[in-house]
Amino acid sequence: GENVEQHPSTLSVQEGDSAVIKCTYSDSASNYFPWYKQELGKRPQLIIDIRSNVGEKKDQRIAVTLNKTAKHFSLHITETQPEDSAVYFCAAISNSGYALNFGKGTSLLVTP
Amino acid sequence: DTEVTQTPKHLVMGMTNKKSLKCEQHMGHRAMYWYKQKAKKPPELMFVYSYEKLSINESVPSRFSPECPNSSLLNLHLHALQPEDSALYLCASSQVEGGAAEAFFGQGTRLTVV
């Protein structure tokens, strides 16, 4: 099955700085890569996603890049704010075509 | 309506109890999932239903029994659980047609087994 590796496990940045989280995947047939944000005690919520036919996608302060050849994708958050503090999970679609395989998560702390 | 609704929000049960978790969505999604999440860990896939049929069972112990009565409802029946089964149980749903798509998560049921 699909194996998703995520780094770093923790990340601390100052407000206004950028944050980058990286993931690699093993299954070259994976074609959908979402990023979820989970605040303490709450459900995971999709913040951005990318499909394998696209190299980069942006939504305001958030961007995701995908390198299919190297099988890695990254989340970029610019101008971080304290409310960006949360656990971020990358994921890739497994061979089943719609069940997510998650990375281990990155705990992001943005300090004022 | 883009909500996945789970009940109850919290559940405390003894090891000899039988209880059920419920999940409902009205987005017309034909794939529904149960995930288990322990503290500081990612969600771990348990079961996948596609068109009301069980398509994936990730080697989950038989004390967890899923049921999909119709395209909007998903249940997880619990019996003879162990304390290590205490976790957040998340239901999710997604489209099936047209390729992989966003999975919408419910707010979860916080289960404590005593």
Side-chain angles (χ1 to χ4, degrees):
Chain A
E2 175 66 275
N3 183 40
V4 180
E5 301 276 345
Q6 182 172 348
H7 300 279
S9 57
T10 60
L11 181 58
S12 184
V13 299
Q14 289 219 300
E15 184 177 0
D17 287 350
S18 295
V20 180
I21 303 170
K22 299 183 179 184
C23 289
T24 60
Y25 60 98
S26 60
D27 186 353
S28 55
S30 290
N31 59 2
Y32 176 65
F33 307 92
W35 286 88
Y36 283 83
K37 175 183 180 182
Q38 188 174 27
E39 296 176 30
L40 192 62
K42 296 195 175 179
R43 75 186 84 188
Q45 293 206 286
L46 182 78
I47 55 170
I48 197 167
D49 56 11
I50 192 167
R51 297 185 184 278
S52 58
N53 58 350
V54 175
E56 183 175 0
K57 183 176 178 181
K58 280 186 87 169
D59 183 3
Q60 299 183 333
R61 296 186 297 110
I62 293 173
V64 57
T65 58
L66 171 65
N67 183 328
K68 282 193 299 181
T69 304
K71 290 193 275 189
H72 66 70
F73 57 113
S74 300
L75 178 72
H76 304 255
I77 307 174
T78 58
E79 300 169 32
T80 54
Q81 301 165 2
E83 49 266 39
D84 294 330
S85 298
V87 179
Y88 291 81
F89 293 102
C90 63
I93 292 292
S94 70
N95 290 339
S96 68
Y98 42 80
L100 294 167
N101 288 284
F102 286 93
K104 290 193 188 305
T106 297
S107 180
L108 174 64
L109 178 64
V110 181
T111 52
Chain B
D1 183 1
T2 58
E3 282 286 319
V4 176
T5 303
Q6 287 187 244
T7 55
K9 288 188 170 59
H10 301 275
L11 178 63
V12 179
M13 61 185 290
M15 290 188 282
T16 58
N17 291 159
K18 284 186 182 181
K19 296 286 185 184
S20 296
L21 309 184
K22 297 187 182 301
C23 175
E24 189 168 3
Q25 58 87 16
H26 296 286
M27 294 178 277
H29 292 168
R30 303 306 295 276
M32 296 187 75
Y33 314 81
W34 281 114
Y35 285 87
K36 172 183 177 181
Q37 188 177 28
K38 297 281 243 181
K40 300 186 189 300
K41 298 287 187 184
E44 181 184 330
L45 184 66
M46 300 175 71
F47 302 104
V48 180
Y49 273 83
S50 175
Y51 295 99
E52 296 86 70
K53 288 185 170 38
L54 184 64
S55 61
I56 295 177
N57 175 342
E58 292 285 357
S59 304
V60 179
S62 60
R63 57 185 184 268
F64 295 92
S65 176
E67 179 197 18
C68 190
N70 60 53
S71 60
S72 299
L73 294 175
L74 185 66
N75 299 323
L76 185 63
H77 303 296
L78 313 173
H79 172 54
L81 294 193
Q82 304 296 310
E84 59 264 29
D85 295 322
S86 298
L88 181 68
Y89 287 84
L90 292 161
C91 173
S93 70
S94 70
Q95 292 177 339
V96 176
E97 301 83 4
E102 177 182 356
F104 290 81
F105 284 86
Q107 79 276 28
T109 294
R110 177 76 57 188
L111 174 68
T112 304
V113 182
V114 298

